[in-house]
Amino acid sequence: MLTIKKYAAIDIGSNAMRLLISNIVEQEGKETQFSKSSLVRVPIRLGQDAFTVGEISEENISRMIDAMKAFKLLMRVHKVEKYMACATSAMREAYNGKEVVELIKKKAEIKIDIIDGKKEAAIIASSDLHHLIKSNETYLYVDVGGGSTEFSLFNEGKIITSKSFKVGTVRLLNNMVNDIVWQEIEKWIKNITADFEVINMIGSGGNINKIFKLSGKTQEKPLSLMYLNSQYTALNAMTYEQRIAELGLNADRADVIIPALRVYINAMKWSGARNVYVPKIGLSDGIVKAMYYNKI
């Protein structure tokens, strides 16, 4: 007996909004399978509003409402039976965030949950990592967003600890991360990884996915710290326009990719990791799985 369900996740981030529609295939006697049916990404940079002036602008509120109406229609066309919409650091910090949530509920009939950093890290960690995480190894999971970065430590297949820090690509672009925050992250990473001899890293987020795609490697192969350093140097040497024209980066990716690399490189240095694995998973994948397994 084969059953196919359709769930959707809406990730309202600081750099972009995403709608993921997933097929969930249930077959008696077999493990449940999750596969992407559709993914739509809208580059509305809410963090530029929230982190600089403290509120979501009227223009971006209007764009959000239009996007949510479109997401609602797409979910209807795909016959999605269950969805969850989560907003992260930009909406958490905008003083009109709750007002925007109420307006979207009224105008687009989409209910949005503004989640804190701890819940965000827990949802991301619930993503399907068993194919990557070996039971006898230790991994530092790093998800770099526009407003925050979520870190989770896995050992022997189980999550040991998670923490969210206000270090994200949009904040870094606007010079809103001081040395004290970097020092806190360094201290935390070194402390949680001190008892483990060998650490591997798992990188999540659109920027590391793009770096991985540019490497031409197959999915199961990791990227080295040396490779990330070389990419960081090469991208820094290019202008914003060159990154778009020569590398084919989206306009809203071509600027944030450099600060994102800085976070991943520092995390590798401080944890002692020499390799980073890059599975195609993130908050939206975690939301789908958390809904399915009733973890939300």
Side-chain angles (χ1 to χ4, degrees):
M1 182 69 179
L2 186 78
T3 306
I4 300 175
K5 296 178 179 179
K6 281 207 173 184
Y7 282 14
I10 297 173
D11 169 11
I12 303 165
S14 302
N15 195 47
M17 293 164 47
R18 296 172 184 82
L19 167 68
L20 171 68
I21 297 173
S22 285
N23 293 322
I24 302 171
V25 182
E26 299 172 326
Q27 197 169 0
E28 196 172 335
K30 292 188 177 181
E31 187 179 353
T32 301
Q33 299 294 314
F34 297 83
S35 62
K36 180 177 73 178
S37 177
S38 176
L39 177 64
V40 180
R41 180 180 181 276
V42 184
I44 301 175
R45 190 168 283 182
L46 300 178
Q48 196 65 42
D49 292 340
F51 308 143
T52 57
V53 297
E55 67 173 338
I56 307 300
S57 66
E58 289 296 325
E59 180 189 354
N60 276 342
I61 290 172
S62 178
R63 293 175 73 201
M64 282 183 76
I65 291 169
D66 286 343
M68 287 298 166
K69 285 179 179 177
F71 287 178
K72 180 84 173 180
L73 286 171
L74 283 168
M75 289 193 290
R76 188 185 302 164
V77 170
H78 280 272
K79 296 185 178 180
V80 167
E81 57 190 86
K82 194 173 183 180
Y83 82 91
M84 184 171 185
C86 291
T88 54
S89 57
M91 291 284 279
R92 281 199 294 267
E93 295 185 34
Y95 77 79
N96 63 341
K98 290 181 180 178
E99 293 174 32
V100 175
V101 165
E102 287 302 314
L103 191 60
I104 288 171
K105 188 177 179 181
K106 182 180 177 182
K107 298 276 189 181
E109 299 180 348
I110 295 278
K111 179 181 177 293
I112 297 169
D113 289 308
I114 299 177
I115 60 173
D116 60 26
K118 189 175 181 181
K119 189 167 185 178
E120 185 178 353
I123 291 172
I124 293 166
S126 72
S127 299
D128 188 9
L129 295 172
H130 73 272
H131 64 290
L132 266 183
I133 293 178
K134 296 175 183 176
S135 60
N136 60 339
E137 294 186 9
T138 306
Y139 299 85
L140 179 64
Y141 187 103
V142 183
D143 181 78
V144 179
S148 63
T149 296
E150 278 62 50
F151 298 91
S152 298
L153 185 71
F154 289 85
N155 183 50
E156 296 182 351
K158 295 178 182 177
I159 188 166
I160 304 300
T161 186
S162 289
K163 188 155 182 161
S164 177
F165 289 92
K166 288 184 178 181
V167 171
T169 57
V170 180
R171 284 190 207 274
L172 288 164
L173 276 181
N174 287 281
N175 297 313
M176 299 179 71
V177 180
N178 60 35
D179 289 342
I180 294 171
V181 179
W182 284 113
Q183 288 163 14
E184 286 176 357
I185 298 172
E186 180 179 4
K187 183 179 177 181
W188 187 80
I189 289 176
K190 286 182 175 179
N191 184 46
I192 64 162
T193 58
D195 294 335
F196 306 100
E197 284 187 22
V198 180
I199 301 280
N200 282 306
M201 206 168 92
I202 296 172
S204 174
N207 291 295
I208 195 72
N209 283 330
K210 190 64 184 180
I211 291 293
F212 187 84
K213 190 175 180 180
L214 290 171
S215 76
K217 289 202 170 191
T218 54
Q219 200 65 51
E220 69 280 359
K221 299 290 185 183
L223 301 177
S224 67
L225 175 57
M226 186 182 294
Y227 178 78
L228 291 195
N229 274 318
S230 68
Q231 287 296 100
Y232 183 76
T233 302
L235 288 166
N236 254 320
M238 300 173 80
T239 64
Y240 172 74
E241 291 76 15
Q242 284 175 322
R243 287 178 227 133
I244 294 171
E246 296 176 23
L247 298 180
L249 298 182
N250 290 334
D252 68 308
R253 176 78 65 211
D255 54 356
V256 294
I257 198 165
I258 292 174
L261 268 173
R262 186 181 167 196
V263 179
Y264 292 113
I265 288 167
N266 280 336
M268 291 184 81
K269 287 178 179 176
W270 297 332
S271 65
R274 287 290 169 263
N275 292 299
V276 55
Y277 293 89
V278 188
K280 287 186 177 179
I281 53 174
L283 180 63
S284 50
D285 302 88
I287 292 170
V288 169
K289 291 180 176 67
M291 278 194 296
Y292 180 76
Y293 292 113
N294 293 315
K295 290 182 179 179
I296 296 180

